[in-house]
Amino acid sequence: MGGTSPIGRSRSDAVHLHTGTGGVVPLQNVTILIFALIFSLLFVLALSCSFLSGDKEDDPLFKSMLNDIATNDPGVVLLGENVDVDVNEPSITISWSLVACGDSFELDGSSGVHESQCGLPSMALWIYADNSPEPVAIYEPSAIPYIRKTGQRRSIENLVRFDSDHTLDVHRAHLYPFDTYLLPSTLRAVDASNTTVPIQKLSTIEQVTSFLVATSDFESYEIINGTQIPTRDFDLYVTRPGQLRFYALLLFGLNWMLTHVTIAHVLLARRLVDIRSMTKHLVSAFAIVLIIPQLRKSMPDSPALDDGALIDYIGFIPQMIISASCVLTILLLIMLREYDEMEGKQTPRQITVRPLPPRPPPPRIPKASSKPPAPPIPPRKSPLKPFLLGTKVHTRSIPMERGEAACMKDELNAGFVFPPIPHANGVIHHRSRSSRSRLGTIGLEGPSGSASGSKSSRSATLKSVKE
């Protein structure tokens, strides 16, 4: 049959295929580092832009509200421009600003408070909070100075602003960062003639540090000496902002993950024998014990550790107990390993082995006979089979297949010599496919001649012995 054979080619002549980059240019390490620095600077600048916007969210809120009051319902307005929530005290301090809307209530030359149509009150006022017998603030319009060039009244903070302190209910303070607070209070204004001046509106800012403030106010009255005196009540709802809750829960989760890492250090150290490797786990677990309190203190506006907050009972306290216990466990394991090395032995691990079911009795094996087993007889192959099937004829004989090459060599050397050398056993092997052997005569005589020849050889041998 025809075929093809590969042409030999040296490695130097091999064709090298170059793969394409698909239009993508690989970047060097220096280029990647420069891009990383640029991205970091842009990220910092983008975050810094939030400080440039300024705090102008409260002005539109107060401005629209004051303009609406000046148009529809003129009177005295109290604006809570600052709310200080102190959970540890516990108290809330509100900084109020006195504002008057309407021509009959507004002081001349004081218009434009919070860029609105309202100004300062034109009458003297005494402000009472929570039915206190003493006023929390006294306002005197005659003390407001003028600006010489413009003739406008100058708003001095200490003259137009006062603080009111209120006791805070903190029965839900232990739910940090999901603690909420409610403050109900009442205010009353009286002029110089001891006549109650109605307060048309109470409002506060909506967000302070670490808290969100929502205010709702409504009209009320008091009965003094049988006379109804109008007052103004308000409810202050204080909650935590969403950003604070997110970061507090994130730090809470990180502390628990670090605690689980200390448990993993114990499991890994238990499987080790080398004390140096175990020391690495000890150092890491001890560092976690020092990190957990710092992360707990990093929670924004978090309560003190002795306040009994829920986040400490389910977080910080069990975290410290578990982490410290893991450090102590690793120390004990190291001490045991050192003791084993000193004693020259290692503490064996206790392995519980389940009892195995009873094995069935082995089958009986008949006794082997003393005679060696007969070698297997190979099947006889017909010499005509290759010609009938059309296959190739193998040139090697069956003795060659059996590993009798050495014997065949000796027989061939002795059998193909003329005149032939007689075989020691009188057996001549013929090279044939059937590998049959036959007994032949030694010499040129037949069977009878061989018998007579053997007798003559025996008699000649006897004669020589007798002689």
Side-chain angles (χ1 to χ4, degrees), residues 60-370:
L61 176 63
F62 286 118
K63 180 179 179 180
S64 60
M65 182 190 65
L66 292 175
N67 290 335
D68 182 68
I69 293 174
T71 304
N72 301 322
D73 193 7
V76 177
V77 179
L78 294 180
L79 299 179
E81 297 183 355
N82 186 24
V83 179
D84 183 15
V85 181
D86 189 355
V87 180
N88 298 325
E89 190 62 28
S91 65
I92 292 181
T93 301
I94 305 175
S95 295
W96 299 100
S97 292
L98 290 168
V99 180
C101 298
D103 296 337
S104 58
F105 297 93
E106 183 180 344
L107 182 65
D108 294 338
S110 64
S111 179
V113 175
H114 291 291
E115 301 179 0
S116 66
Q117 302 174 6
C118 301
L120 299 176
S122 59
M123 75 289 290
L125 296 174
W126 282 257
I127 307 298
Y128 296 87
D130 299 333
N131 296 328
S132 176
E134 298 294 332
V136 295
I138 299 176
Y139 168 74
E140 184 60 44
S142 60
I144 304 300
Y146 290 90
I147 301 176
R148 186 177 296 275
K149 292 183 178 181
T150 60
Q152 294 290 326
R153 295 292 184 115
R154 180 173 173 80
S155 178
I156 306 300
E157 295 293 330
N158 196 29
L159 299 178
V160 299
R161 180 176 293 184
F162 66 95
D163 295 340
S164 62
D165 296 330
H166 308 272
T167 303
L168 183 64
D169 184 10
V170 292
H171 72 279
R172 302 192 66 181
H174 66 285
L175 298 178
Y176 171 89
F178 297 95
D179 49 337
T180 57
Y181 308 95
L182 174 62
L183 173 64
S185 184
T186 180
L187 293 176
R188 180 169 62 94
V190 179
D191 58 7
S193 61
N194 202 17
T195 302
T196 301
V197 179
I199 300 175
Q200 299 299 329
K201 184 66 177 178
L202 290 174
S203 181
T204 63
I205 59 176
E206 297 179 353
Q207 185 172 0
V208 295
T209 305
S210 304
F211 291 99
L212 295 177
V213 181
T215 307
S216 63
D217 65 315
F218 48 90
E219 295 182 359
S220 61
Y221 64 90
E222 297 176 0
I223 298 177
I224 299 176
N225 298 326
T227 306
Q228 290 185 0
I229 300 176
T231 58
R232 194 78 180 183
D233 289 4
F234 66 93
D235 291 333
L236 222 63
Y237 298 92
V238 181
T239 58
R240 300 281 185 177
Q243 300 91 335
L244 185 145
R245 292 178 177 179
F246 171 76
Y247 288 116
L249 291 179
L250 181 62
L251 294 173
F252 172 79
L254 288 176
N255 279 346
W256 268 118
M257 294 178 66
L258 291 175
T259 304
H260 296 159
V261 170
T262 57
I263 299 176
H265 280 307
V266 173
L267 298 178
L268 293 176
R270 182 173 175 268
R271 296 177 177 271
L272 296 176
V273 179
D274 186 15
I275 296 179
R276 292 184 178 179
S277 301
M278 297 176 67
T279 306
K280 297 179 182 179
H281 294 281
L282 175 64
V283 173
S284 178
F286 184 73
I288 291 175
V289 172
L290 299 179
I291 291 173
I292 289 178
Q294 302 302 321
L295 293 180
R296 167 61 179 82
K297 294 179 181 179
S298 300
M299 294 182 181
D301 198 29
S302 60
L305 296 177
D306 56 352
D307 288 345
L310 180 63
I311 198 171
D312 294 330
Y313 288 124
I314 64 174
F316 176 72
I317 296 176
Q319 289 162 4
M320 290 300 296
I321 292 175
I322 295 174
S323 301
S325 301
C326 291
V327 172
L328 181 60
T329 303
I330 297 176
L331 283 173
L332 293 177
L333 290 175
I334 293 176
M335 293 173 63
L336 290 176
R337 296 294 188 272
E338 290 182 350
Y339 180 77
D340 292 339
E341 289 184 359
M342 293 172 60
E343 294 292 331
K345 62 181 181 180
Q346 184 180 356
T347 306
R349 293 183 58 187
Q350 297 181 357
I351 302 176
T352 57
V353 181
R354 297 181 179 179
L356 298 176
R359 297 182 179 179
R364 295 181 179 180
I365 301 175
K367 296 181 179 180
S369 59
S370 59

